[in-house]
C-alpha cells in the first residue's frame, strides 16, 4: 500500500515507517501542519494514499499548554479527515492512534475495549474527543482506532519516564528525580506497537477500537531494579513534587485478547521483546556498553 504517515519524524513514526517499508509498503510522510487546512488538503490530494496512519499528536501528558492538546489532537485530526473525504477515491483504511489514557483510573484490570472511558487529564480527554469526532466520519471513511498502552524504546524523548531513567543509568548518575513512584504500567516495546499498527492496517475491522497492549504491567521499582541489573549501577531515587501529577493514573494494564485474535486469524505473531531487552536497547542507544546477563 501507499501509506500516508503523519508524525513520520516522531518517536513512533520513524520505526513504523521502517517496518512498513520492510513489509513492502511505500511510505509518504505528511509535511503539512495539521492546523493548515489548505496546505493539508493540497498535500493529501497530491499524495492520493491507499491508506493513512495518523500518529501526529501532542503526547506528553505534562505538556504545559492545555489548549494545544485540543488544537492538534482534535481540530488537527478533524482537518485531516475533512481532507481525506475530499479525495476522488478515499483511502482503503485510516488508522488513528488514540491512547489507553482515555480509560483513566479504574478498579477493573486488565482493561478491555468495552471499559467505559473516564479520562482524568487534558491529554486523555483530547484523545477521547478525537475518537468521538472521528466516528462522525464512519460512513465516509474506513476507520480503525488504536489505544496503545505505555510503550518505549530507543529514541523516545527524555521527558518520558523510561528514557529519562535510561539516560541517568547510562551516565551512572548518583541520583534521579521522579514523580509518583506508586505507579504500575505496561512498558511495551515500540517494535510490538508498530507490528500491531501494520496488522490492524491490513486486517482490523472498520469502526472498531483495539487496545495495543501485552497485559503485562510492571511496577516502577521493577524497572529501576532491571536497569540496576543491566548496568551494575545503583541510583538514588528522589521524589520531586514538580513531577507529581495531580490526576495520576495509578495502574494501567490492558486486555490484548481482541488484538491477539486478529493476529491469530491472520497467521501472525506480534514481536514481543522482554522488558529487559527493551531497556538494554535503550542503554545501548544512550552509549552505554551494558553487561550481558
Amino acid at each position: 500500500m501507499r501509506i500516508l504517515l503523519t508524525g513520520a519524524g516522531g518517536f513512533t513514526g520513524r520505526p513504523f515507517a521502517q517496518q512498513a517499508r520492510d513489509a513492502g509498503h511505500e511510505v509518504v510522510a505528511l509535511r503539512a501542519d495539521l492546523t493548515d487546512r489548505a496546505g493539508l488538503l493540497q498535500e493529501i490530494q497530491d499524495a492520493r494514499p491507499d491508506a493513512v496512519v495518523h500518529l501526529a499528536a501532542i503526547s506528553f501528558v505534562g505538556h504545559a499548554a492545555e489548549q494545544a492538546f485540543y488544537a492538534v489532537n482534535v481540530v488537527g485530526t478533524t482537518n485531516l479527515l475533512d481532507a481525506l473525504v475530499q479525495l476522488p477515491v478515499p483511502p482503503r483504511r485510516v488508522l488513528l492512534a488514540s491512547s489507553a489514557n482515555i480509560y483513566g483510573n479504574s478498579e477493573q484490570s486488565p482493561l478491555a475495549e468495552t471499559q467505559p472511558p473516564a479520562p482524568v487529564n487534558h491529554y486523555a480527554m483530547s484523545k477521547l474527543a478525537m475518537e468521538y469526532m472521528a466516528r462522525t466520519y464512519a460512513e465516509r471513511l474506513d476507520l480503525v482506532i488504536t489505544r496503545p498502552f505505555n510503550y518505549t524504546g530507543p529514541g523516545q524523548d527524555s521527558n518520558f519516564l523510561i528514557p529519562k531513567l535510561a539516560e541517568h543509568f547510562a551516565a551512572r548518575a548518583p541520583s534521579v528525580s521522579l514523580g509518583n513512584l506508586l505507579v504500575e504500567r505496561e512498558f511495551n516495546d515500540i517494535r510490538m506497537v508498530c507490528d500491531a499498527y501494520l496488522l490492524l492496517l491490513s486486517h482490523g475491522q472498520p469502526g472498531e477500537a483495539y487496545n495495543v497492549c501485552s497485559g503485562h504491567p510492571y511496577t516502577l521499582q521493577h524497572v529501576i531494579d532491571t536497569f540496576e541489573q543491566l548496568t551494575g549501577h545503583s541510583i538514588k531515587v528522589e521524589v520531586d513534587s514538580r513531577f507529581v501529577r495531580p490526576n495520576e493514573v495509578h495502574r494501567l494494564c490492558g486486555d490484548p485478547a481482541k488484538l491477539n485474535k486478529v493476529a491469530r486469524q491472520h497467521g501472525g505473531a506480534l514481536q514481543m521483546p522482554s522488558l529487559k531487552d527493551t531497556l538494554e536497547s535503550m542503554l545501548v542507544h544512550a552509549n552505554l556498553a551494558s553487561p550481558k546477563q
Side-chain angles (χ1 to χ4, degrees):
M1 291 185 288
R2 180 175 170 84
I3 301 171
L4 180 68
L5 177 63
T6 79
F11 165 59
T12 310
R14 293 189 301 271
F16 175 82
Q18 186 59 58
Q19 286 180 225
R21 292 187 182 105
D22 290 346
H25 301 292
E26 178 186 0
V27 178
V28 178
L30 181 75
R31 292 181 173 81
D33 191 312
L34 290 172
T35 62
D36 176 9
R37 290 174 60 89
L40 188 61
L41 177 61
Q42 184 61 58
E43 188 172 345
I44 286 174
Q45 289 181 338
D46 291 342
R48 302 271 177 116
D50 301 313
V52 178
V53 175
H54 179 39
L55 305 180
I58 294 179
S59 58
F60 179 54
V61 175
H63 191 277
E66 294 169 348
Q67 65 272 22
F69 287 118
Y70 302 96
V72 175
N73 298 352
V74 183
V75 178
T77 303
T78 305
N79 293 340
L80 174 68
L81 299 183
D82 277 344
L84 293 175
V85 298
Q86 295 182 60
L87 285 170
V89 178
R92 301 202 301 261
R93 168 61 46 81
V94 179
L95 185 146
L96 302 177
S98 181
S99 171
N101 273 273
I102 69 162
Y103 296 122
N105 281 308
S106 173
E107 294 181 3
Q108 179 70 30
S109 186
L111 297 167
E113 291 84 354
T114 53
Q115 177 71 23
V120 297
N121 54 54
H122 285 287
Y123 167 67
M125 184 65 78
S126 72
K127 284 293 191 177
L128 181 59
M130 180 201 74
E131 287 195 22
Y132 286 149
M133 176 279 299
R135 294 189 188 281
T136 68
Y137 291 81
E139 293 183 357
R140 292 172 287 171
L141 292 170
D142 182 320
L143 296 170
V144 167
I145 292 171
T146 64
R147 295 172 181 166
F149 284 66
N150 291 64
Y151 63 96
T152 191
Q156 189 176 29
D157 192 279
S158 59
N159 279 332
F160 292 87
L161 173 63
I162 306 302
K164 179 177 180 177
L165 283 170
E167 287 187 5
H168 279 69
F169 274 98
R172 308 188 79 80
S175 64
V176 62
S177 296
L178 302 177
N180 191 347
L181 303 181
L182 302 177
V183 295
E184 191 172 356
R185 297 280 190 274
E186 294 190 21
F187 294 111
N188 298 313
D189 193 287
I190 180 65
R191 290 167 286 183
M192 182 275 278
V193 174
C194 294
D195 266 4
Y197 288 177
L198 284 169
L199 173 72
L200 295 172
L201 195 63
S202 295
H203 303 298
Q205 289 297 308
E208 291 294 313
Y210 293 86
N211 288 341
V212 177
C213 59
S214 63
H216 300 299
Y218 298 95
T219 63
L220 180 53
Q221 187 59 55
H222 180 82
V223 174
I224 293 169
D225 290 346
T226 305
F227 271 127
E228 290 186 349
Q229 178 191 14
L230 288 168
T231 62
H233 174 67
S234 295
I235 199 166
K236 180 182 179 182
V237 177
E238 300 171 340
V239 176
D240 189 328
S241 61
R242 294 174 300 170
F243 302 137
V244 176
R245 297 172 189 151
N247 295 314
E248 183 67 84
V249 176
H250 299 293
R251 188 176 196 269
L252 201 53
C253 171
D255 180 352
K258 189 174 179 180
L259 175 65
N260 289 343
K261 182 179 179 181
V262 177
R264 287 195 304 272
Q265 289 174 336
H266 296 280
L270 301 177
Q271 292 187 70
M272 202 67 71
S274 68
L275 176 66
K276 184 176 178 180
D277 288 342
T278 302
L279 300 186
E280 189 164 20
S281 71
M282 296 175 73
L283 288 168
V284 170
H285 182 76
N287 298 317
L288 176 71
S290 304
K292 303 297 180 181
Q293 301 297 325

